[in-house]
Amino acid sequence: MNNQIKPLFFTKRSEVPEGVKFIDAFNPELKELFKVRYPKFKNNKGKQEIFLKKASTIQGVYVYFPWSSTVVYTLPKDLFLEVRSARNKNLITKEEQQKFYNAKIGIIGLSIGSNIVWPLLVSGAGSFLRVADPDTIELTNLNRLFYPISEIGESKVTAAMKKAYELNPFITIEPWMNGVSMETLEKFITGPKKLDILIDELDDLEIKIQLRILARKHKIPVLMATNLGEKVMIDVERFDLEPKREIFHGLLGKFNNEEFKNLTPHSPMWIKATRKIIDKKYISPSLKSSLQEVGKTVAGVPQLGITSSVSSAFIALAISKIVAGKKVKSGRHIIDTNVWKA
């Protein structure tokens, strides 16, 4: 990986490159650490001063972000994570938080996929991420992706990595800049570190099918979020618990993989198969008419940033419960965000 897409760590101020923007977050974070550990005394300045004096031996970390020429002086990893996730208590227990953080998560497709990264990281997950997408950011993506216009033309993987490291510089990200193919898909899933969770946000139907076949083989759960206008569809396939489960809940019926080879996204055949997977009863009249216009008067399948945010949060929530051993069953879940129906 290019070091320009990864933070660098220093233990001494003298090691920090000259001319960078310097942010000292260490002392404010120490004060937060005191409040986290001693909430009963959070307003007791005397006890806080005693704590800070004892904490003076703690060695902070200088984190250098080369792409923004910025250095942040912050708490070391364990203390950083303790404070970072403190407000999750006890909605997420300490044990659950550890499992959530340590889960190895793979994301293929970084449109909705990149939006899933943010709730994962802010909720205290994401110590290991494997991400894949060959595309770059375009202006039309920005109705649902949280990037500034200065990122247009940037690799989606690179942009996601930068933002992720700025949320938590201590994580590990394995980038697949060229995306995945039928030949490389199994390697993406299995290693060298085998994934615990696989998130599918692809358009390529042949690969979508194959990744489920491989996930079933390796007993890895697959999650997928689909935006349906003002509705959100969350698909959970617990191949870890049901290794004989039919892919896509059996909605494709009997099929031949040859049907989906070299199938162009948003082509008539692609739309026909997608309708089978989605199930037409969930498609609103406005979305249905839009899908019929794809490639004619509409450039691509329409999506809303509002529902993208909702679906991403629900995927992160599902992952937190799966890795904690909670009962998250296979199936399809529909969330209707249109609470102000006419």
Side-chain angles (χ1 to χ4, degrees):
M1 186 197 299
N2 188 325
N3 279 339
Q4 297 302 307
I5 324 171
K6 190 174 183 180
L8 302 177
F9 297 88
F10 305 106
T11 56
K12 297 177 182 178
R13 178 71 186 267
S14 59
E15 298 172 333
V16 172
E18 294 183 4
V20 300
K21 179 181 179 181
F22 182 78
I23 298 171
D24 186 352
F26 184 77
N27 289 317
E29 290 170 351
L30 274 182
K31 291 177 181 178
E32 285 188 283
L33 180 62
F34 168 75
K35 293 176 182 179
V36 166
R37 290 188 173 179
Y38 307 102
K40 291 182 180 179
F41 304 113
K42 65 179 183 180
N43 296 318
N44 188 317
K45 291 187 177 180
K47 289 188 180 294
Q48 184 185 87
E49 288 175 5
I50 293 170
F51 173 82
L52 293 176
K53 188 175 181 179
K54 290 180 178 178
S56 62
T57 58
I58 295 172
Q59 175 65 56
V61 180
Y62 296 90
V63 184
Y64 174 44
F65 301 101
W67 53 88
S68 62
S69 193
T70 301
V71 168
V72 180
Y73 184 47
T74 187
L75 291 172
K77 180 180 176 180
D78 290 347
L79 298 182
F80 176 90
L81 296 176
E82 181 181 348
V83 176
R84 183 81 170 73
S85 61
R87 296 294 289 269
N88 290 351
K89 295 179 180 178
N90 283 312
L91 298 174
I92 301 177
T93 68
K94 184 178 179 180
E95 293 74 19
E96 289 170 348
Q97 189 74 69
Q98 195 65 37
K99 290 177 180 178
F100 194 24
Y101 183 71
N102 289 332
K104 296 180 288 296
I105 301 168
I107 305 175
I108 305 178
L110 290 180
S111 285
I112 292 179
S114 70
N115 286 353
I116 293 169
V117 172
W118 320 140
L120 281 172
L121 289 175
V122 299
S123 301
S127 68
F128 179 88
L129 298 173
R130 184 175 291 143
V131 295
D133 197 307
D135 294 335
T136 57
I137 296 169
E138 298 176 339
L139 182 57
T140 51
N141 297 145
L142 300 187
N143 80 320
R144 60 195 183 279
L145 302 188
F146 302 123
Y147 294 118
I149 59 172
S150 58
E151 298 279 8
I152 291 174
E154 179 77 274
S155 155
K156 287 182 179 178
V157 169
T158 299
M161 289 174 69
K162 289 177 180 178
K163 189 168 181 178
Y165 280 131
E166 288 172 351
L167 287 169
N168 182 352
F170 299 104
I171 63 176
T172 298
I173 305 176
E174 186 182 302
W176 285 49
M177 309 294 289
N178 298 318
V180 295
S181 65
M182 292 290 284
E183 293 72 32
T184 62
L185 189 53
E186 189 158 19
K187 184 178 179 182
F188 183 91
I189 291 170
T190 60
K193 291 185 177 180
K194 181 183 173 183
L195 296 175
D196 298 309
I197 302 280
L198 179 58
I199 300 169
D200 165 29
E201 295 302 336
L202 276 169
D203 288 334
D204 189 313
L205 271 176
E206 185 183 14
I207 295 181
K208 289 175 86 71
I209 290 167
Q210 185 63 18
L211 75 82
R212 282 165 173 77
I213 292 170
L214 291 171
R216 184 170 60 187
K217 172 184 172 182
H218 295 287
K219 299 182 179 180
I220 297 171
V222 175
L223 284 77
M224 179 176 71
T226 308
N227 296 336
L228 301 173
E230 292 181 320
K231 292 181 181 179
V232 168
M233 185 168 73
I234 305 294
D235 282 293
V236 179
E237 294 170 275
R238 294 297 305 269
F239 298 124
D240 54 325
L241 302 179
E242 304 167 81
K244 294 184 179 180
R245 182 178 180 83
E246 287 188 87
I247 68 169
F248 286 122
H249 319 299
L251 291 168
L252 268 180
K254 291 184 179 180
F255 62 90
N256 185 334
N257 268 9
E258 294 294 319
E259 297 176 68
F260 302 101
K261 279 193 174 181
N262 303 315
L263 189 61
T264 305
H266 312 149
S267 65
M269 176 65 180
W270 182 92
I271 291 172
K272 181 180 178 181
T274 299
R275 284 176 175 166
K276 276 188 178 181
I277 294 169
I278 292 176
D279 192 335
K280 63 182 181 181
K281 69 182 179 184
Y282 298 123
I283 302 177
S284 66
S286 59
L287 181 59
K288 184 177 180 180
S289 62
S290 294
L291 288 173
Q292 291 172 344
E293 290 299 311
V294 171
K296 300 173 185 176
T297 62
V298 177
V301 175
Q303 300 177 64
L304 296 175
I306 298 165
T307 46
S308 178
S309 299
V310 171
S311 61
S312 301
F314 269 90
I315 290 288
L317 179 62
I319 291 172
S320 72
K321 293 186 177 298
I322 288 172
V323 298
K326 301 290 179 67
K327 291 183 179 179
V328 178
K329 296 180 179 180
S330 295
R332 171 162 286 174
H333 311 275
I334 304 297
I335 303 132
D336 191 344
T337 64
N338 188 11
V339 295
W340 298 283
K341 293 179 182 178

